Amino acid sequence: MRSVPPWALVSSGCAPVFLIMGWLVAASIEGHPYDPAAQTISVLAAPGHRGSWVMTAAFVALGFCHLLTAWGLRPAATAGRMALAAGGVSALAVAVVPAPSSGGSLSHGSVAAVGFAVLAAWPVLAARAGTAVPWALRPFPSLGATAVMAVGAAWFLVELHRHGVAGVAERAVTTLQSVWPFVVVLSCLRESLRESLREGRPS
């Protein structure tokens, strides 16, 4: 099993930090009447909003973090790494194609939908079988992560349609999507450490 470089722990660990700090700082700058429970994160990056530059920078940082993590996750299946990288590109695209100040946008909505889809799919696409595979890359945990993310995305769509707590739903699912790569990297590094210890034992 190929090892994960230690810097992947930094890139994967910074992803949720950039995302969460981005929406917290941008929302505090925006102030009233922005409602984080009902309004989406993308609203914070819309042109004309006072904290748009913060949220846009957070999307860019998140995108690069996912790209670097996908590059470093060598034990994962290629399809999963490509999906995670596509999620990083989608985050960069969200920054380039922000939500409008009012109303909807087909281009922004499409980019965001692709991002949700690939980041929900990457865990199961990255899965591998075998006893030496790190825990978070095994089929059952990977399928579970994808299932939870898919349910979260469906919840977000329902809340968006009924004008409910779309902001809460989006924050829940995007937090999970940004944290899972960190969990996978930790799992890979832990397995590498255990393998090194086994090889170092005297026979």
Side-chain angles (χ1 to χ4, degrees), residues 16-118:
V17 174
F18 284 137
L19 178 64
I20 295 170
M21 289 303 296
W23 80 50
L24 288 176
V25 173
S28 67
I29 294 173
E30 187 66 26
H32 184 77
Y34 179 76
D35 181 3
Q39 292 179 278
T40 66
I41 302 167
S42 295
V43 171
L44 292 169
H49 288 254
R50 287 177 292 180
S52 63
W53 63 275
V54 175
M55 199 64 243
T56 299
F59 283 140
V60 171
L62 176 67
F64 280 116
C65 283
H66 283 335
L67 286 169
L68 285 171
T69 303
W71 183 25
L73 261 180
R74 293 177 293 195
T78 302
R81 296 174 69 188
M82 291 178 65
L84 179 57
V89 173
S90 296
L92 295 173
V94 165
V96 175
V97 188
S101 299
S102 60
S105 167
L106 179 60
S107 57
H108 174 79
S110 300
V111 168
V114 169
F116 269 111
V118 294

Side-chain angles (χ1 to χ4, degrees), residues 93-149:
V94 165
V96 175
V97 188
S101 299
S102 60
S105 167
L106 179 60
S107 57
H108 174 79
S110 300
V111 168
V114 169
F116 269 111
V118 294
L119 288 175
W122 93 265
V124 73
L125 293 176
R128 288 185 179 276
T131 55
V133 175
W135 171 83
L137 286 176
R138 293 176 185 175
F140 186 74
S142 300
L143 180 59
T146 290
V148 172
M149 291 177 196

Side-chain angles (χ1 to χ4, degrees), residues 112-192:
V114 169
F116 269 111
V118 294
L119 288 175
W122 93 265
V124 73
L125 293 176
R128 288 185 179 276
T131 55
V133 175
W135 171 83
L137 286 176
R138 293 176 185 175
F140 186 74
S142 300
L143 180 59
T146 290
V148 172
M149 291 177 196
V151 169
W155 174 37
F156 169 61
L157 290 175
V158 169
E159 294 297 337
L160 198 62
H161 179 72
R162 62 188 289 269
H163 303 289
V165 289
V168 174
E170 184 187 31
R171 283 164 173 77
V173 68
T174 53
T175 297
L176 178 57
Q177 289 180 333
S178 65
V179 167
W180 186 250
F182 179 66
V183 173
V184 175
V185 170
L186 273 179
S187 176
C188 291
L189 289 174
R190 179 173 176 269
E191 185 61 33
S192 294

